[in-house]
Amino acid sequence: KTTVCLSLLAALREAGFSAAELGYIKPATQCEAPDLLKQWCSDEGIEYVSGESAPLVFYSGFTRSFLAGEQGTSQQWLDRIAAKIQEMSASRRVLIVDGVGFPAVGSIVGVDNADVARVARAPVLLVCKSGVGGAVDSFSLNSTYFLSKGVPVLGALFNMGEPEGFYSWDKCASTLKQWFDQQGSRRERFYGVVPIASELKGLRERISETNKSQLRSLAFLNAEHFSKYVDLPSLLFDAACDRWCRGSAAKLPNIAATAAATKTAAAAADPPAKRPRTGENAGSSISNGGFVPKSRQEVASQAKSLGAVGGG
């Protein structure tokens, strides 16, 4: 997903957008390691918010601490995310909001990708693995999750296509397009299949070992490769025309209220699970509408001492 975001931003730069008009945010994340996008944004002068600067980090021990009432409430984290997106959107023409993992990641704390997309008023582009049956099944499952929460889905692009064989990217592209064309009233569109680029394979694991000059070259290679196989004009046009993007700047000050209204309207059909209430546990200090969660150092240290590995 992150390399897709890089390619979209690069296409917009190529189209004449200034660095100041663009921005990138991954509001909730599990990964804090450096990536190619961070280096590219730094070189281009585009604001990049992710990793340790993200509004919400699912660090080791966070979810259990949340459920214990030590990390505020779901709505407070969503408000924090919405405020950061509002701040970044105020002076920009395009802000790309990156998701984390699969759609339901974060649901244990009531802040999954659909919740974030809803407060951001951001229509969704699904990035799926290439294939045929499994690719469509995965798309259908993930699309349904967002749609069930009232989040519009633009469509999908399929990544990591095989260069040759029965499941080669071009054969899969033909079949996938055929399936999307047969869906009648569904609005989701097929934007392409991106084949594996040998030069980029495994790059994420090599970021820290690769010098800046090489990373910049690889970032441009990534963008160029992506643009060859994805229908970028249609994707950007569809995003610009989506009802959640039209006039979004005027609506941003009311972003939290809009999200709350959406939740209220959907409550009868899909009652929300109970989340820790404000002030439920003394470990989370809350006052004047803000909150101070239990410290990451304390939570992570305790989790590590109990054998936790990784985030969450």
Side-chain angles (χ1 to χ4, degrees), residues 152-177:
V153 176
L154 299 174
L157 62 85
F158 298 80
N159 209 353
M160 308 297 285
E162 294 294 333
E164 55 187 21
F166 187 70
Y167 290 101
S168 65
W169 70 270
D170 52 338
K171 292 175 182 173
C172 289
S174 176
T175 305
L176 289 168
K177 184 178 186 308

Side-chain angles (χ1 to χ4, degrees), residues 86-123:
Q86 177 180 333
E87 174 195 322
M88 292 183 69
S89 299
S91 59
R92 291 179 171 82
R93 293 175 66 189
V94 179
L95 177 65
I96 292 183
V97 183
D98 197 356
V100 51
F102 54 90
V105 169
S107 61
I108 190 170
V109 300
V111 188
D112 64 24
N113 284 294
D115 297 321
V116 171
R118 190 166 53 201
V119 298
R121 302 286 290 175

